[in-house]
Amino acid sequence: MIKIVETRDYNDMSRKAANVISAQVILKPDSVLGLATGSTPVGCYQTLVHWCEKGDLDFSKVRTVNLDEYQGLEKWHDQSYYYFMRENLFKYVNINLDNTNIPDGSNPDAEAECARYHELIESMGGIDLQLLGIGNNGHIGFNEPADVFADKTHKVELAESTIDANARFFKDRDEVPRFAYTMGIGEIMSAKKILIIASGKAKAPIIREMIKGPVTPKVPASILRFHPDVTLIADVDALSLLNKE
Ligand code: GLP
């Protein structure tokens, strides 16, 4: 069962999510954190930066693995997730960059890159706390709706709806990469704890589907209901359809 924490708004969601991550790092300073991109976690990362600057939080021993990366973008492309993590978190906290990991989207050898990433996660001893956003179509990481749940890191073809949703970050839709490398559902489900965050009315239908609909690879996030320790922190807007018939 997914624990649900309702927040007033986006800022309240961001602070509460940062509190959970902060508690994890305080209790286990060398935690392996699974990190996410997208607009939803930006406020949470800003809060973590603020607490780190105040000296309330110490990332010096933290290790991270990100969920996904576009295939074909160089690291320093301003829409790569490598760049996103640098600009939104890593640059501003005392993390050792050698302890941060993101699939290498510039490696054209998908098989080799995905195998490397899977082994890396294993070698780190698994993920202590995985942060997730959710796509409008229920994707987590870049695990798009499919016929089966993918186990390990793999190459995916992005859904048209994902390309539409992410086109806002690119000059035009044609520039959005068609493929990505993403952690698999098996790797995500192996995390000891999972924290999923959502904000805004646009996410309300998929949040309802995730919680109330069938557990199916057609709604990848629905599998989280089978994980023993998942918390959803979402604002009233994102939860607004949950109790409607
Ligand atoms: C992106 C990412 C996901 C993210 C999702 C939602 O494409 N690959 O990890 O959770 O879409 O993004 P947003 O938070 O901007 O709604």
Coordinates of all heavy atoms in Angstrom, one line a residue, residues 178-213:
R178 N 14.4 10.8 -29.4 CA 13.4 9.7 -29.5 C 13.7 8.6 -28.6 O 12.8 7.7 -28.3 CB 13.4 9.2 -30.9 CG 12.6 10.0 -32.0 CD 11.8 11.1 -31.5 NE 10.9 11.7 -32.4 CZ 10.5 13.0 -32.4 NH1 11.0 13.8 -31.4 NH2 9.6 13.4 -33.2
F179 N 14.9 8.5 -28.0 CA 15.3 7.3 -27.2 C 15.9 7.8 -25.9 O 16.4 8.9 -25.8 CB 16.2 6.4 -28.0 CG 15.6 5.8 -29.2 CD1 15.7 6.4 -30.5 CD2 14.9 4.6 -29.2 CE1 15.1 5.9 -31.6 CE2 14.3 4.1 -30.3 CZ 14.4 4.7 -31.5
A180 N 15.9 6.9 -25.0 CA 16.5 7.2 -23.7 C 17.0 5.9 -23.1 O 16.6 4.8 -23.5 CB 15.5 7.9 -22.8
Y181 N 17.9 6.0 -22.1 CA 18.3 4.9 -21.3 C 17.6 5.1 -19.9 O 17.7 6.2 -19.4 CB 19.8 4.8 -21.0 CG 20.7 4.7 -22.3 CD1 21.9 5.3 -22.4 CD2 20.2 3.9 -23.4 CE1 22.7 5.1 -23.6 CE2 21.0 3.7 -24.5 CZ 22.2 4.3 -24.6 OH 23.0 4.2 -25.7
T182 N 17.0 4.1 -19.4 CA 16.3 4.2 -18.1 C 16.6 3.0 -17.2 O 16.6 1.9 -17.7 CB 14.8 4.4 -18.3 OG1 14.2 4.6 -17.0 CG2 14.1 3.3 -19.0
M183 N 16.6 3.3 -16.0 CA 16.6 2.2 -15.0 C 15.3 1.4 -15.2 O 14.3 1.9 -15.6 CB 16.4 2.8 -13.6 CG 17.6 2.7 -12.7 SD 17.1 3.2 -11.0 CE 18.4 4.3 -10.7
G184 N 15.4 0.1 -15.0 CA 14.2 -0.8 -15.2 C 13.3 -0.8 -14.0 O 13.7 -0.3 -12.9
I185 N 12.1 -1.3 -14.1 CA 11.2 -1.4 -13.0 C 11.7 -2.3 -11.9 O 11.6 -2.0 -10.7 CB 9.8 -1.9 -13.5 CG1 9.2 -0.9 -14.5 CG2 8.9 -2.3 -12.4 CD1 8.7 0.4 -13.9
G186 N 12.4 -3.3 -12.3 CA 13.0 -4.2 -11.3 C 14.0 -3.5 -10.4 O 14.0 -3.7 -9.2
E187 N 14.9 -2.7 -11.0 CA 15.9 -1.9 -10.2 C 15.2 -0.9 -9.3 O 15.6 -0.7 -8.2 CB 16.9 -1.3 -11.2 CG 17.8 -2.2 -11.9 CD 18.3 -1.7 -13.2 OE1 17.8 -0.8 -13.8 OE2 19.4 -2.2 -13.6
I188 N 14.2 -0.2 -9.9 CA 13.5 0.7 -9.0 C 12.8 0.0 -7.9 O 12.9 0.5 -6.7 CB 12.4 1.5 -9.9 CG1 13.1 2.4 -11.0 CG2 11.5 2.4 -9.0 CD1 12.2 3.0 -12.0
M189 N 12.1 -1.1 -8.1 CA 11.4 -1.8 -7.1 C 12.3 -2.4 -6.1 O 11.9 -2.8 -5.0 CB 10.5 -2.9 -7.7 CG 9.3 -2.3 -8.5 SD 8.1 -1.6 -7.4 CE 7.3 -3.1 -6.7
S190 N 13.6 -2.6 -6.4 CA 14.6 -3.1 -5.4 C 15.1 -2.0 -4.4 O 15.8 -2.4 -3.5 CB 15.8 -3.7 -6.2 OG 15.4 -4.7 -7.0
A191 N 14.7 -0.8 -4.7 CA 15.1 0.3 -3.7 C 14.5 0.0 -2.4 O 13.3 -0.5 -2.3 CB 14.7 1.6 -4.2
K192 N 15.2 0.3 -1.3 CA 14.6 0.0 0.1 C 13.4 0.8 0.4 O 12.4 0.4 0.9 CB 15.7 0.2 1.1 CG 16.9 -0.8 1.0 CD 17.9 -0.7 2.1 CE 19.1 -1.6 1.8 NZ 20.1 -0.9 0.9
K193 N 13.5 2.1 0.0 CA 12.4 3.0 0.2 C 12.2 3.8 -1.1 O 13.1 4.1 -1.8 CB 12.7 4.1 1.2 CG 12.7 3.6 2.7 CD 13.2 4.8 3.5 CE 13.5 4.4 4.9 NZ 12.3 4.1 5.7
I194 N 10.9 4.2 -1.4 CA 10.6 4.9 -2.6 C 9.8 6.1 -2.2 O 8.8 6.0 -1.4 CB 9.9 4.1 -3.6 CG1 10.8 3.0 -4.1 CG2 9.4 5.0 -4.8 CD1 10.1 2.0 -5.1
L195 N 10.1 7.3 -2.7 CA 9.4 8.5 -2.5 C 9.0 9.1 -3.8 O 9.8 9.4 -4.7 CB 10.3 9.6 -1.8 CG 9.8 11.0 -1.6 CD1 8.5 11.0 -0.8 CD2 10.8 11.9 -1.0
I196 N 7.7 9.1 -4.0 CA 7.2 9.7 -5.3 C 6.4 11.0 -5.1 O 5.7 11.1 -4.1 CB 6.3 8.6 -6.1 CG1 5.7 9.2 -7.4 CG2 5.2 8.0 -5.2 CD1 5.3 8.1 -8.4
I197 N 6.7 12.0 -5.9 CA 6.2 13.3 -5.7 C 5.3 13.7 -6.9 O 5.7 13.3 -8.1 CB 7.2 14.3 -5.4 CG1 8.3 14.4 -6.4 CG2 7.8 14.1 -4.0 CD1 9.4 15.4 -6.2
A198 N 4.3 14.5 -6.7 CA 3.4 14.9 -7.8 C 2.8 16.2 -7.4 O 2.4 16.5 -6.2 CB 2.4 13.9 -8.1
S199 N 2.6 17.1 -8.4 CA 2.0 18.4 -8.1 C 1.1 18.8 -9.3 O 1.5 18.6 -10.5 CB 3.1 19.4 -7.9 OG 2.6 20.7 -7.9
G200 N 0.0 19.5 -9.0 CA -0.8 20.1 -10.1 C -1.9 19.2 -10.6 O -1.8 18.0 -10.6
K201 N -2.9 19.9 -11.1 CA -4.1 19.2 -11.6 C -3.9 18.3 -12.8 O -4.5 17.3 -13.0 CB -5.2 20.3 -12.1 CG -5.9 20.9 -10.9 CD -7.4 21.1 -11.3 CE -8.4 21.2 -10.2 NZ -8.0 21.7 -8.9
A202 N -2.8 18.6 -13.6 CA -2.6 17.8 -14.8 C -2.2 16.4 -14.4 O -2.4 15.5 -15.2 CB -1.4 18.4 -15.6
K203 N -1.7 16.2 -13.2 CA -1.3 14.9 -12.7 C -2.4 14.1 -12.0 O -2.3 12.9 -11.7 CB -0.1 15.0 -11.8 CG 1.2 15.5 -12.4 CD 1.9 14.5 -13.3 CE 3.0 15.0 -14.2 NZ 4.2 15.4 -13.5
A204 N -3.5 14.8 -11.8 CA -4.6 14.2 -11.0 C -5.1 12.9 -11.6 O -5.3 11.9 -10.9 CB -5.7 15.2 -10.7
P205 N -5.4 12.9 -13.0 CA -5.9 11.6 -13.5 C -4.9 10.4 -13.4 O -5.4 9.3 -13.1 CB -6.1 12.0 -15.0 CG -6.2 13.5 -15.1 CD -5.3 13.9 -13.9
I206 N -3.7 10.7 -13.6 CA -2.7 9.5 -13.5 C -2.5 9.1 -12.1 O -2.2 7.9 -11.8 CB -1.4 9.8 -14.3 CG1 -0.7 8.5 -14.6 CG2 -0.5 10.8 -13.6 CD1 -1.4 7.6 -15.5
I207 N -2.5 10.1 -11.1 CA -2.4 9.7 -9.7 C -3.6 8.8 -9.3 O -3.4 7.8 -8.6 CB -2.3 11.0 -8.8 CG1 -1.0 11.7 -9.1 CG2 -2.5 10.6 -7.3 CD1 0.3 11.0 -8.7
R208 N -4.7 9.1 -9.8 CA -5.9 8.3 -9.5 C -5.7 6.9 -10.1 O -6.0 5.9 -9.4 CB -7.2 9.0 -10.0 CG -8.4 8.2 -9.8 CD -9.6 8.8 -10.5 NE -10.7 7.8 -10.7 CZ -11.6 7.6 -9.8 NH1 -11.7 8.3 -8.7 NH2 -12.5 6.6 -10.0
E209 N -5.3 6.8 -11.3 CA -5.0 5.6 -12.0 C -4.0 4.7 -11.3 O -4.1 3.5 -11.1 CB -4.6 5.9 -13.4 CG -4.7 4.8 -14.4 CD -6.1 4.3 -14.6 OE1 -7.1 5.0 -14.4 OE2 -6.2 3.1 -15.0
M210 N -2.9 5.4 -10.8 CA -1.8 4.7 -10.1 C -2.3 4.0 -8.8 O -2.0 2.9 -8.5 CB -0.7 5.7 -9.8 CG 0.4 5.1 -8.9 SD 1.7 6.2 -8.6 CE 1.1 7.2 -7.3
I211 N -3.2 4.8 -8.1 CA -3.7 4.3 -6.8 C -4.9 3.4 -6.9 O -5.0 2.4 -6.2 CB -4.0 5.5 -5.9 CG1 -2.8 6.5 -5.8 CG2 -4.6 5.1 -4.5 CD1 -1.8 6.1 -4.8
K212 N -5.8 3.7 -7.8 CA -7.1 3.0 -7.9 C -7.2 2.0 -9.0 O -8.1 1.2 -9.0 CB -8.2 4.1 -8.0 CG -8.3 5.0 -6.8 CD -9.4 4.5 -5.9 CE -9.6 5.2 -4.6 NZ -10.5 6.3 -4.6
G213 N -6.5 2.2 -10.1 CA -6.6 1.4 -11.3 C -5.9 0.0 -11.1 O -5.4 -0.2 -10.0

